[in-house]
């Protein structure tokens, strides 16, 4: 989310987006640092927590939906929700 919007615990903050330099086709996103792994990494590594309980997987799903609902309330569409983009 952009700096001028309220933060949410399930959404990584975006501080700046744009082209560098402005006339180039290189698009840059400056965002909050997240020290962890993606859901894709955990699935590929067969992390035991992901297969331990239905409740654990449901909790992950609810957190993603909570973040998406927050973005929707701000009029923002993510457009690329996938395990590689879930932290």
């Amino acid at each position: 989310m952009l700096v001028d919007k309220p933060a949410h615990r399930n959404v990584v903050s975006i501080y700046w987006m744009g082209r560098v330099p402005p006339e180039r086709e290189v698009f840059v996103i400056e965002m909050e640092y997240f020290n962890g792994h993606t859901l894709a990494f955990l699935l590929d590594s067969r992390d035991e927590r992901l297969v331990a309980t239905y409740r654990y997987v449901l909790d992950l799903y609810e957190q993603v939906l909570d973040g998406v609902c927050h973005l929707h309330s701000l009029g923002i569409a993510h457009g690329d929700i996938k395990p590689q983009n879930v932290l």
Side-chain angles (χ1 to χ4, degrees):
M1 75 186 338
L2 299 174
V3 174
D4 63 337
K5 305 288 184 184
H8 189 275
R9 63 187 172 91
N10 295 334
V11 177
V12 174
S13 294
I14 294 176
Y15 302 125
W16 182 82
M17 295 188 302
R19 297 190 189 285
V20 179
E23 66 278 356
R24 299 284 310 259
E25 291 297 321
V26 178
F27 192 76
V28 177
I29 301 174
E30 181 182 346
M31 62 179 63
E32 171 185 5
Y33 175 73
F34 179 83
N35 186 18
H37 298 290
T38 65
L39 179 57
F41 176 86
L42 295 176
L43 291 170
D44 289 342
S45 68
R46 301 184 190 272
D47 190 301
E48 292 179 7
R49 293 174 297 166
L50 290 177
V51 295
T53 66
Y54 172 76
R55 182 71 222 155
Y56 182 79
V57 174
L58 182 60
D59 184 52
L60 289 175
Y61 185 67
E62 288 175 338
Q63 289 178 55
V64 171
L65 289 178
D66 194 31
V68 170
C69 285
H70 176 70
L71 291 175
H72 179 75
S73 73
L74 298 173
I76 300 171
H78 187 287
D80 196 22
I81 298 171
K82 59 188 177 186
Q84 292 82 354
N85 292 336
V86 174
L87 305 174

